[in-house]
């Protein structure tokens, strides 16, 4: 059975009070959401205007003007509204909600009588709509609109926005399909697939599930729709000159025949998330197995140790097995977020920690690195090795920035980070009627009815700095249910007690399932040993040969020039290297740093300014090294950084 | 004094009979020159037409038509004529000479009354001439025309072509300069500078030297001519969007203020060669010191171990100190040839082997790798590390080919290889009235008048396979002169005897100078130990950290997949690795191969298809390795290759 065994705990029922995560949530609420609102309204001095809200005003005939900005500019306001929705669930804010309501009212005003809603074509001529599904993002906007509308409905109970999304979804259903008179197309940029299944979860309108399933079934069928569309409408496809061709869009062959993650990485993992949704909702075993194959290909062949994906800037794309360059890398923040979306859905179907392990890896290392510690600047590209001089002068690394940037013309990553972080509680805890699963360890309170009885859980932890997690159960009467604790894949020694005594539990797919009658005041204590380990990559990964990455718990660490000098390629660790951990409260918002006596290649004998010499073995000098968590790099000025470190 | 102390021995007086070099010379004579002639005449099936000869026919009004091909297409026939000239010197060929004469007659017929000669502007409108010196290569064509004309004059004594070149040079002199009414411009692509000094060597016409000196003195002066030209003629500069800007053309600042090799690598070393010529001819100490600085920057900071230069495809350019990626490399064959031009001129001024050492390195490793062993296909880009899958699918390596290509639209490298190899004897031996310098070791005979007396030298060697070089002196009467033998920088043990007895000599800047009275039958024997050594790169070179290159004598070796399997990054050598050499006559036209018992990273423990695991030290399995000379790679099908090999 492929039905979802679990769903996220409602954000209304979670109050995160966690030193690590709460600061991110507050950054999003206090800085990112207001900044993004200003950006949508072209109120940021020195930044390229977005034109997003203005386009809606023009489309709603409240203002004269032309369409401006990217063809997918509408999606920016949808992403903002989604982040707002989550934020309202844990921090009610009347003024923000009023602003959101007014914005939704504007969006609704722009909607056409048949439900169509994309300001680019409303302004430029509706007769042209759905003539470039490949590149013009109308269905991408439908997807983000729908995700936002579903979230806003959950958050506020108001259905104006939901109705707008239903209207547009029904319009798409009426226009697209293999039936006579319809256009046999599907999204060039995926996201609508998973969004429509979420919409179906509320509406139970079969059309919404059917449309999602159709998008997936039709994708890549022969003759290729995008080829036909190009011919018919005289569009051209940039990627036909690349080795990717239509696989840039994951549309080169039917999705069930795809077994390697290919093409634009964000589109890919959005598609795979939608495939998992449809496989689950329709009990499509073959589709689910395709999801498993693609998952395995990503995590076993194409994922950075940080959980980042997408090895090349060319098409912001996956490349091929074991191709994981650290310096010319793309590793887009949004792609790591998309991998988390995919992981969550696979977990909800399987209850298997191999998905949530990757979720944790990506979150701590591949996603939060995307935002500065003050929430004001962002990385789209997340390199694992940086030399600022190369970023400036190496044409092949001009996409790699040594400092986070304020806001981009294409504003995809910051809003994506915002919507993930403001809903992070839902990723931490999933439940069904008789069980709760703790996927991520974060402090706070959670209220949950299990087997008909109400419980409150009080969670305390200093994770990821400390491996202790305390869960106190509060209830009016004893209550039987399962509390399932993820034992992370990185963790090789842990202790699990209930009220001070060794807990009795079954291990099920990586979860310690504590199934019993819980009384008020029961205390679960998970103590994970935060081991520091050196990690190596499969020797098929050329770039990581002879190198190790250092991890502590879920965190990948790195060397920064600020602590270790430049020319980080000269640094070596040794087999069995011992590290000392130190909790530095005033550093980088408070982190545990690792220090160790390492080696640096001596260049004493190179004084004569020569480039090559006969090799007679290497000479090293001792050097104290300091490693910081990777996510916190580039918060102290410009300098070199590396995750992978040479090993003797 | 900066005068040239030496000049190349006249090719008419050298007869190369050398197993290694003669085959290359014959390939050029028998394959490259005829093939190139067909290419110039658009007679190659399946190849893009050149239009080169046709453009001259149109310009000479012998045919109706328009200009076709690259804006610098004229230069192709000049390069061909230069190679033909050298070839005629050691292999007279009446038919070839007649074809060349007819071609020269056609070129002369296209020349304008004032000497101007560039078919692009003759056909498209002379009123536009000299309006885009930055990018339209009129002076580049002047340079190659002049080099060819000088060579053809030396080879045949015929002056028709020389007069054409003089005419065009005088036209340029009349039109360009800082004097009122002249255009204060200079070449966008350098080469005319050194060519004009060579022309001056024949004509002794001060205008020719003045024009060369003017091109160098004016280059990069403020306000930048190329900026002014762009403004005036509404041209645009592609490189203004790059970090290089006008330094792409080495024209961002006055040449005497330049101390790092920057911009397009071929243009750079052509300029530096011209600077050395002008410094020598005008005793310009500051200009010479600039040449030394630029030389040092290249060889100490920006040169591959193969003698190749130009680290990036972006602008086919130098990048910055110690930036020497092996896989995304450019390392254009023409650039290594240009480095040899520069080296030769610096040597002729200084008699210092540090220049000829680099010449030898570049020739054996950075140049001849550019041509297949059958002379029929060519590399423009010469990577030091290749994975065919990356070449196909990595957008940043699409310029890197795993096999040599037949002939390119931009036919720069093959004719450049042709003109170098057909004149290689002149690089081997240089002389003045009292001394002969043996820079490269190759077998053959050479006739030379020294201190007024005639001598013939018979040289025998199996270099680079064997380190023995025998020189027998033949003369009618005893003759006093110096025979200077370069003791290569790579050579740490050698023996030098005359008639079986230890030779008495002074070491002067890397040369063993045998100064004595030579009698008929005297035998010099140089025995160099062909040591196999592992070489390391300066630890400031990120890409080579933890790796070594293997050399034997002047040759850089490499691992190929054909001999060693794929995934060459898994191969390790150890300190003190011992190699066995084997002369394989039937392999790759006859080479000495190196074998050794190396290590391969074991992937046994990786069977579970995982990407990362905890590091507990590395496991290796023994593997017999075979290395071949780098220049001969990619002659046995497509596969991986690497020069730099990991070392334990």
């Amino acid at each position: 059975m492929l039905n979802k065994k679990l769903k996220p705990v409602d954000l209304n029922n979670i109050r995160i009070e966690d030193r690590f995560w709460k600061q991110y949530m507050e950054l999003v609420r206090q800085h990112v959401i207001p900044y993004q609102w200003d950006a949508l309204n072209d109120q940021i001095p020195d930044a390229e205007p977005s034109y997003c809200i203005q386009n809606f005003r023009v489309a709603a005939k409240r203002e004269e003007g032309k369409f401006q900005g990217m063809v997918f500019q509408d999606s920016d306001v949808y992403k903002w509204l989604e982040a707002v929705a989550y934020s309202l669930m844990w921090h009610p804010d009347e003024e923000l909600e009023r602003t959101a309501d007014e914005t939704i009212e504007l969006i609704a005003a722009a909607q056409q009588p048949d439900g169509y809603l994309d300001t680019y074509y409303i302004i430029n001529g509706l007769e042209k709509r759905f003539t470039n599904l490949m590149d013009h993002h109308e269905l991408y906007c439908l997807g983000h609109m729908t995700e936002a509308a579903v979230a806003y409905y959950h958050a506020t109970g108001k259905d104006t926005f939901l109705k707008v999304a239903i209207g547009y979804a029904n319009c798409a259903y009426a226009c697209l399909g293999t039936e006579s008179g319809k256009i046999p197309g599907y999204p060039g940029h995926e996201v609508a697939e998973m969004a429509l299944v979420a919409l179906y979860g509320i509406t139970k309108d079969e059309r919404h599930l059917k449309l999602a399933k159709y998008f997936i079934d039709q994708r890549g069928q022969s003759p290729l729709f995008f080829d036909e569309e190009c011919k018919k409408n005289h569009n051209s496809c940039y990627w036909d000159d690349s080795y990717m061709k239509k696989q840039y869009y994951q549309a080169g062959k039917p999705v069930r025949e795809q077994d390697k993650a290919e093409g634009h990485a964000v589109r890919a993992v959005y598609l795979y998330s939608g495939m998992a949704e449809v496989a689950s909702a329709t009990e499509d075993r073959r589709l689910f197995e395709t999801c498993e194959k693609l998952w395995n290909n990503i995590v076993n062949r194409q994922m950075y140790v940080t959980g980042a994906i997408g090895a090349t800037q060319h098409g912001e794309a996956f490349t091929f097995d074991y191709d994981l360059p650290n310096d010319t890398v793309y590793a887009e923040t949004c792609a790591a977020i998309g991998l988390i979306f995919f992981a969550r859905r696979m977990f909800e179907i399987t209850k298997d920690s191999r998905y949530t392990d990757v979720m944790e890896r990506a979150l701590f290392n591949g996603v939060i690195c995307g935002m500065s510690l003050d929430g004001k600047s962002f990385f789209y590209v997340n390199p694992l090795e940086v030399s600022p001089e190369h970023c400036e002068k190496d044409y092949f690394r001009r996409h790699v920035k040594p400092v986070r940037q304020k806001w981009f013309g294409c504003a995809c990553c910051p809003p994506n980070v915002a919507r993930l972080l403001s809903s992070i509680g839902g990723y931490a805890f999933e439940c069904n009627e008789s069980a709760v699963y703790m996927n991520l360890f974060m402090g706070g309170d959670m209220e949950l009815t299990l087997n008909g009885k109400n419980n409150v859980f009080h969670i305390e932890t200093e994770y990821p700095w400390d491996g202790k997690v305390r869960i106190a159960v509060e209830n009016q009467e004893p209550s039987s249910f399962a509390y399932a604790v993820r034992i992370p894949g990185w963790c090789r020694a842990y202790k699990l007690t209930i009220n001070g005594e060794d807990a009795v539990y079954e291990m099920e797919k990586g979860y310690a399932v504590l199934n019993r009658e819980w009384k008020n005041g029961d205390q679960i204590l998970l103590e994970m040993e935060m081991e520091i380990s050196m990690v190596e990559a499969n020797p098929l990964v050329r770039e990581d040969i002879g190198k190790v990455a250092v991890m502590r718990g879920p965190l990948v660490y790195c060397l920064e020039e600020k602590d270790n000098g430049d020319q980080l390629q000269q640094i070596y660790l040794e087999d069995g290297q011992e590290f000392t951990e130190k909790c530095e409260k005033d550093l980088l918002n408070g982190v545990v740093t690792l220090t160790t006596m390492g080696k640096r290649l001596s260049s004493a004998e190179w004084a004569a300014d020569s480039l090559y010499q006969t090799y007679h073995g290497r000479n090293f000098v001792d050097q104290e090294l300091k490693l910081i968590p990777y996510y916190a790099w580039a918060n102290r000025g410009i300098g070199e950084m590396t995750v992978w470190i040479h090993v003797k």
Side-chain angles (χ1 to χ4, degrees), chain A:
Chain A
M1 295 295 286
L2 299 173
N3 66 305
K4 290 195 184 179
K5 283 79 188 175
L6 296 158
K7 58 171 191 171
V9 171
D10 201 313
L11 293 178
N12 292 305
N13 296 335
I14 305 175
R15 191 177 58 88
I16 301 293
E17 283 303 334
D18 182 88
R19 191 167 70 85
F20 191 88
W21 288 109
K22 191 62 185 289
Q23 67 185 346
Y24 281 105
M25 296 165 67
E26 287 295 337
L27 281 180
V28 167
R29 189 179 70 78
Q30 295 175 33
H31 293 292
V32 183
I33 289 176
Y35 187 95
Q36 193 181 352
W37 177 245
D38 287 345
L40 293 170
N41 286 279
D42 311 330
Q43 302 291 313
I44 309 283
D46 309 327
E48 229 180 300
S50 152
Y51 304 111
C52 177
I53 296 295
Q54 186 185 308
N55 289 334
F56 276 98
R57 278 203 298 268
V58 174
K61 300 203 188 301
R62 294 182 180 180
E63 192 174 312
E64 290 284 306
K66 55 181 184 175
F67 180 91
Q68 289 182 85
M70 305 278 199
V71 70
F72 48 81
Q73 213 69 29
D74 288 4
S75 62
D76 277 8
V77 70
Y78 302 144
K79 290 177 190 168
W80 179 77
L81 282 165
E82 188 179 347
V84 167
Y86 300 137
S87 171
L88 293 175
M89 290 166 94
W90 54 267
H91 188 99
D93 180 331
E94 275 183 36
E95 193 190 327
L96 181 62
E97 189 169 334
R98 191 163 50 244
T99 303
D101 286 340
E102 287 166 9
T103 306
I104 289 165
E105 191 270 325
L106 171 66
I107 293 167
Q111 190 163 36
Q112 301 302 294
D114 72 346
Y116 183 82
L117 182 37
D118 186 285
T119 67
Y120 177 85
Y121 284 105
I122 292 172
I123 295 169
N124 288 330
L126 282 164
E127 72 286 358
K128 283 282 192 186
R129 74 183 199 180
F130 299 142
T131 56
N132 190 349
L133 293 174
M134 184 174 73
D135 284 330
H136 275 189
H137 286 67
E138 285 156 295
L139 300 176
Y140 173 77
C141 290
L142 166 64
H144 275 299
M145 175 202 288
T146 303
E147 293 207 318
V150 166
Y152 203 75
Y153 176 71
H154 278 310
T156 64
K158 297 175 186 168
D159 66 358
T160 308
F161 197 14
L162 193 70
K163 283 179 180 163
V164 171
I166 291 169
Y168 191 16
N170 292 346
C171 166
Y173 184 81
C175 297
L176 304 173
T178 49
E179 299 91 337
S180 161
K182 290 186 174 184
I183 298 165
Y186 38 84
H189 194 314
E190 304 92 326
V191 68
E193 298 80 358
M194 61 176 146
L196 286 164
V197 181
L199 185 65
Y200 168 72
I202 298 170
T203 64
K204 305 295 176 197
D205 183 334
E206 288 293 335
R207 287 179 295 180
H208 302 150
L209 178 58
K210 272 190 190 165
L211 186 59
K213 179 172 156 52
Y214 158 76
F215 282 162
I216 283 162
D217 291 348
Q218 182 63 8
R219 190 168 207 88
Q221 296 294 344
S222 195
L224 292 185
F225 170 75
F226 291 155
D227 285 341
E228 302 294 306
E229 186 187 57
C230 281
K231 266 185 260 172
K232 186 173 173 201
N233 302 324
H234 310 291
N235 306 331
S236 68
C237 178
Y238 180 81
W239 304 102
D240 282 348
D241 289 337
S242 161
Y243 63 91
M244 285 188 276
K245 302 199 168 22
K246 297 299 186 304
Q247 273 301 83
Y248 168 79
Y249 310 91
Q250 300 77 44
K253 51 191 169 185
V255 297
R256 288 171 186 77
E257 293 170 21
Q258 300 191 23
D259 55 6
K260 291 189 178 195
E262 289 181 322
H264 189 270
V266 173
R267 296 176 201 231
V269 284
Y270 281 13
L271 169 65
Y272 308 156
S273 301
M275 287 162 61
E277 290 285 1
V278 169
S280 174
T282 65
E283 282 293 336
D284 185 332
R285 173 61 54 184
R286 175 137 183 247
L287 188 59
F288 178 73
E289 284 166 0
T290 304
C291 290
E292 282 183 314
K293 266 185 221 159
L294 291 164
W295 174 271
N296 289 338
N297 177 257
I298 293 173
V299 303
N300 297 338
R301 307 282 177 91
Q302 298 202 72
M303 183 182 74
Y304 287 93
V305 71
T306 56
I309 51 174
T312 182
Q313 185 263 347
H314 176 65
E316 307 178 322
F318 286 106
T319 54
F320 49 98
D321 290 356
Y322 303 111
D323 178 45
L324 293 164
N326 296 304
D327 47 10
T328 59
V329 54
Y330 205 71
E332 188 180 340
T333 308
C334 285
I337 291 171
L339 182 61
I340 289 174
F341 295 162
F342 185 24
R344 169 155 146 181
R345 284 157 178 87
M346 294 300 279
F347 165 75
E348 288 170 349
I349 297 169
T350 62
K351 300 196 291 186
D352 194 327
S353 75
R354 67 200 203 91
Y355 299 109
T356 36
D357 275 357
V358 170
M359 178 193 287
E360 180 181 63
R361 183 189 289 270
L363 182 63
F364 274 106
N365 305 293
V367 171
I368 58 175
C369 56
M371 187 163 79
S372 62
L373 294 176
D374 62 6
K376 290 178 180 166
S377 55
F378 297 86
F379 278 134
Y380 286 51
V381 171
N382 294 283
L384 281 78
E385 181 184 329
V386 163
S387 145
E389 188 170 24
H390 284 76
C391 295
E392 185 190 340
K393 296 181 184 171
D394 181 343
Y395 192 72
F396 297 145
R397 299 191 210 177
R398 63 198 191 285
H399 60 288
V400 178
K401 308 293 177 198
V403 279
R404 293 176 183 82
Q405 310 286 299
K406 279 224 166 295
W407 198 269
F408 285 47
C410 167
C412 63
C413 296
N416 234 343
V417 171
R419 66 187 183 129
L420 178 73
L421 292 178
S422 61
S423 63
I424 194 66
Y427 291 84
F429 304 102
E430 300 231 5
C431 63
N432 56 28
E433 63 290 346
S434 63
V436 56
Y437 274 65
M438 185 166 64
N439 292 329
L440 303 172
F441 309 108
M442 53 185 77
D445 305 325
M446 169 175 58
E447 200 177 332
L448 207 54
T449 300
L450 291 159
N451 287 327
K453 292 184 180 166
N454 202 45
N455 300 277
V456 178
F457 301 93
H458 303 283
I459 300 157
E460 281 176 31
T461 183
E462 286 292 315
Y463 196 83
W465 311 123
D466 183 86
K468 276 202 216 51
V469 186
R470 287 172 207 281
I471 304 115
V473 183
E474 180 187 335
N475 53 23
Q476 300 289 331
E477 49 182 331
S479 167
S480 287
F481 59 84
Y483 197 100
V485 176
R486 183 175 65 93
I487 306 300
W490 56 259
C491 177
R492 273 169 307 175
Y494 67 95
K495 215 172 123 184
L496 193 54
T497 56
I498 297 178
N499 302 327
E501 288 177 18
D502 283 352
V504 178
Y505 58 89
E506 298 282 323
M507 278 305 292
E508 292 177 8
K509 296 179 184 171
Y511 284 81
V513 182
L514 306 166
N515 206 340
R516 57 179 253 159
E517 189 181 66
W518 300 90
K519 297 192 189 65
N520 189 39
D522 276 351
Q523 294 262 1
I524 309 171
L525 176 60
L526 169 66
E527 292 170 283
M528 294 173 277
E529 203 172 288
M530 298 304 268
E531 200 182 357
I532 299 162
S533 62
M534 296 198 289
V535 169
E536 64 179 332
N538 191 305
L540 294 170
V541 181
R542 289 166 193 274
E543 292 79 2
D544 298 339
I545 288 278
K547 298 179 178 177
V548 291
V550 179
M551 295 190 70
R552 178 180 180 275
L555 295 179
V556 173
Y557 277 68
C558 69
L559 292 172
E560 273 201 309
E561 179 177 338
K562 175 95 177 171
D563 304 307
N564 304 288
D566 65 357
Q567 304 296 336
L568 294 176
Q569 79 279 5
Q570 298 173 351
I571 304 289
Y572 274 72
L573 299 174
E574 287 178 283
D575 291 6
Q577 187 87 30
E578 299 277 349
F579 297 87
T580 305
E581 54 186 57
K582 188 173 165 198
C583 186
E584 301 199 44
K585 289 207 185 319
D586 297 327
L587 182 68
L588 299 164
N589 285 0
V591 292
V592 170
T593 59
L594 306 180
T595 51
T596 191
M597 188 55 75
K599 304 276 183 195
R600 184 184 273 270
L601 265 182
S602 162
S603 48
E605 69 272 36
W606 285 93
D609 196 21
S610 60
L611 199 44
Y612 304 105
Q613 70 180 17
T614 304
Y615 177 75
H616 298 294
R618 280 169 294 202
N619 296 312
F620 293 95
V621 290
D622 287 348
Q623 181 180 331
E624 175 137 310
L625 304 176
K626 178 171 178 173
L627 295 93
I628 63 160
Y630 169 74
Y631 76 81
W633 86 277
N635 278 287
R636 296 175 295 164
I638 294 183
E640 291 182 22
M641 182 277 295
T642 191
V643 167
W644 291 98
I645 304 167
H646 281 101
V647 66
K648 279 181 76 177

